[in-house]
Amino acid sequence: MVREFGEQRLRPHVAEWFEAARPEDKVPVRELAAEIGKLGLLGMHLTGYGCGGSTATAYGLVCQELEAVDSGLRSLVSVQGSLAMFAIHRWGSEEQRQQWLPGMAAGELIGCFGLTEPDFGSNPGGMRTTARRDGSDWVLNGSKMWITNASVADVAIVWARSKEGVIGFVVPTSTPGFSAREMTHKLSLRASVTSEFTLDDVRLPEDAKLPGAQGLSGPLACLSEARFGIVFGAVGAARDCLETTLEYVGTREVFDKPLAGYQLTQAKIADMAVELSKAQLLALHLGRLKDDGRIRPEQVSVGKLNNVREALKIARECRTLLGANGVTLEYPVLRHANNLESVLTYEGTSEVHQLVIGEALTGVSAFR
Ligand SMILES: Cc1cc2nc3c(=O)[nH]c(=O)nc-3n(C[C@H](O)[C@H](O)[C@H](O)COP(=O)(O)OP(=O)(O)OC[C@H]3O[C@@H](n4cnc5c(N)ncnc54)[C@H](O)[C@@H]3O)c2cc1C
């Protein structure tokens, strides 16, 4: 069902959304969220509150199909379901869950997740955004950058430093003092809205605080959820590149015969298919571990590190086989490769995942 939706509703427009410069031509996030919500894909792996209650593996496969069209469209589902909705589901009060989750699952309300700051990405513990108590209220000040959908969102999950350590808030974006603007000139993930927002004396009642989250483990638990979806998603992007390339080399003639008939081509294609299958199996294995309640964060890191890295290599190799045609938007290959540069960086860079795996293996933290 999702593959059909991707092919019929999304793929015909995705190159235009990627290329668009005028706001009216850009990806219609609100419209798509409502349609994707109707399909039951937003927060589909969460239970209750209008969410689908699916297995993690089924959610992973949905990510794979969406990212086969474009990483930006998978990002929409990841940020809504695994970051914003998951934060409320896992760390929120019963009232917060009832207030926000049904509308977010339906795609009527859009959420974003504000952790990264201009000076703190890989090291969110250094964040400068503050939350201070004022009577029974909280007052937030600071800024967040590189936040998917912040400028179109109804609600922001905001992480801030307080006397109690890092804590999280559910912030309606209509709250006075909250302002967001879209970041432009990206060369990657262009079919996704990326924004920065500032908090200027944003005053919130106590019940806006996520009561279950205390310390960095709050946002990190959400990131682990989103990383899991990327393990599958990256496979989708790579699959689309390889399928496009197989079709291309079958018809493109060089030196009087199809490109597919050259041993150099076949070596590239065989190696890519092997890596793609390995990535797919790794995703499936991690999905089953997660469904069994046995997955550990460092295992998610193995999947995110390997699958995004290999997907990017596949996208670049496919691009070589398409020659000059590979650099246009007529084919999806360089669009995927450019998108995967962001996917390689967000939700923990490759280096961060190497450090997570290294620490798990050696028992020594080498982050600083
Ligand atoms: C399109 C897009 C959408 C995004 N959406 C969101 C969002 O919705 N919400 C959100 O909160 N954030 C979001 N991000 C931000 C993303 O999570 C950060 O960019 C990421 O965490 C990396 O942080 P940074 O860019 O500050 O890089 P830095 O942390 O400055 O890293 C720069 C380089 O240093 C390396 N490095 C860092 N630490 C170490 C170390 N200890 N040892 C060795 N090398 C190290 C990194 O691996 C990297 O190669 C998004 C980013 C992009 C590009």
Side-chain angles (χ1 to χ4, degrees):
M1 179 191 77
V2 178
R3 186 177 292 187
E4 214 173 274
F5 175 76
E7 292 307 316
Q8 291 173 7
R9 171 68 180 101
L10 305 175
R11 193 179 291 276
H13 303 286
V14 73
E16 289 164 37
W17 294 332
F18 188 94
E19 196 169 27
R22 296 185 311 169
E24 58 272 31
D25 299 331
K26 286 193 176 165
V27 58
V29 175
R30 199 158 272 286
E31 203 179 309
L32 290 182
E35 289 177 45
I36 295 171
K38 277 205 183 85
L39 295 179
L41 308 182
L42 299 174
M44 65 178 274
H45 58 305
L46 305 175
T47 45
Y49 313 98
C51 304
S54 81
T55 62
T57 307
Y59 166 63
L61 290 172
V62 163
C63 290
Q64 186 171 303
E65 292 307 326
L66 291 173
E67 195 147 354
V69 183
D70 193 271
S71 303
L73 301 168
R74 194 268 309 139
S75 294
L76 168 62
V77 170
S78 291
V79 170
Q80 179 87 348
S82 289
L83 292 177
M85 291 176 71
F86 179 83
I88 297 172
H89 197 274
R90 166 66 73 89
W91 306 122
S93 65
E94 188 53 32
E95 292 70 34
Q96 287 168 341
R97 290 183 196 136
Q98 292 197 8
Q99 180 182 355
W100 295 105
L101 293 179
M104 292 173 85
E108 287 155 9
L109 297 173
I110 293 175
C112 69
F113 185 87
L115 179 64
T116 304
E117 299 187 354
D119 293 328
F120 297 95
S122 302
N123 175 23
M127 70 175 68
R128 295 209 180 100
T129 297
T130 56
R132 79 176 155 79
R133 277 198 184 277
D134 186 28
S136 62
D137 290 346
W138 286 95
V139 178
L140 270 55
N141 279 289
S143 63
K144 300 283 177 181
M145 198 175 183
W146 298 109
I147 309 303
T148 302
N149 283 342
S151 52
V152 290
D154 302 284
V155 57
I157 305 298
V158 178
W159 300 96
R161 162 187 305 292
S162 72
K163 279 191 177 152
E164 307 161 19
V166 170
I167 50 177
F169 293 87
V170 186
V171 183
T173 54
S174 56
T175 312
F178 181 100
S179 59
R181 73 172 184 87
E182 187 175 348
M183 298 171 68
T184 50
H185 305 301
K186 277 183 303 175
L187 295 173
S188 173
L189 233 64
R190 290 179 54 86
S192 168
V193 173
T194 313
S195 322
E196 53 192 337
F197 67 76
T198 54
L199 303 149
D200 190 8
D201 281 333
V202 169
R203 180 172 287 275
L204 298 164
E206 170 67 22
D207 64 11
K209 179 174 171 273
L210 289 168
Q214 183 59 55
L216 266 187
S217 58
L220 291 184
C222 306
L223 293 181
S224 199
E225 286 297 300
R227 288 166 181 172
F228 172 81
I230 293 173
V231 174
F232 279 82
V235 176
R239 185 191 77 200
D240 192 49
C241 291
L242 188 55
E243 280 176 1
T244 303
T245 303
L246 278 172
E247 208 179 305
Y248 187 86
V249 298
T251 52
R252 173 74 180 178
E253 296 211 345
V254 295
F255 294 97
D256 308 322
K257 69 172 190 183
L259 189 50
Y262 291 88
Q263 288 184 346
L264 283 174
T265 305
Q266 293 201 0
K268 287 183 181 181
I269 284 180
D271 286 349
M272 288 193 285
V274 168
E275 285 308 326
L276 181 64
S277 305
K278 282 155 68 180
Q280 175 105 60
L281 287 170
L282 176 56
L284 183 60
H285 178 63
L286 293 177
R288 288 174 174 159
L289 275 182
K290 188 162 164 60
D291 283 327
D292 217 18
R294 289 191 293 134
I295 200 165
R296 295 195 305 269
E298 61 268 26
Q299 292 173 318
V300 178
S301 286
V302 170
K304 203 268 181 182
L305 173 64
N306 181 76
N307 286 12
V308 180
R309 195 164 59 181
E310 294 307 320
L312 184 54
K313 278 191 209 155
I314 289 173
R316 288 178 179 153
E317 189 79 303
C318 285
R319 216 291 302 152
T320 67
L321 285 163
L322 266 68
N325 282 324
V327 309
T328 72
L329 271 172
E330 211 159 305
Y331 294 90
V333 174
L334 191 60
R335 174 168 54 78
H336 281 306
N338 276 10
N339 285 339
L340 287 166
E341 292 288 347
S342 284
V343 181
L344 193 76
T345 290
Y346 69 24
E347 305 294 345
T349 63
S350 291
E351 293 77 11
V352 163
H353 291 296
Q354 287 173 320
L355 292 169
V356 170
I357 297 165
E359 182 176 354
L361 291 172
T362 63
V364 182
S365 169
F367 276 92
R368 51 178 80 241

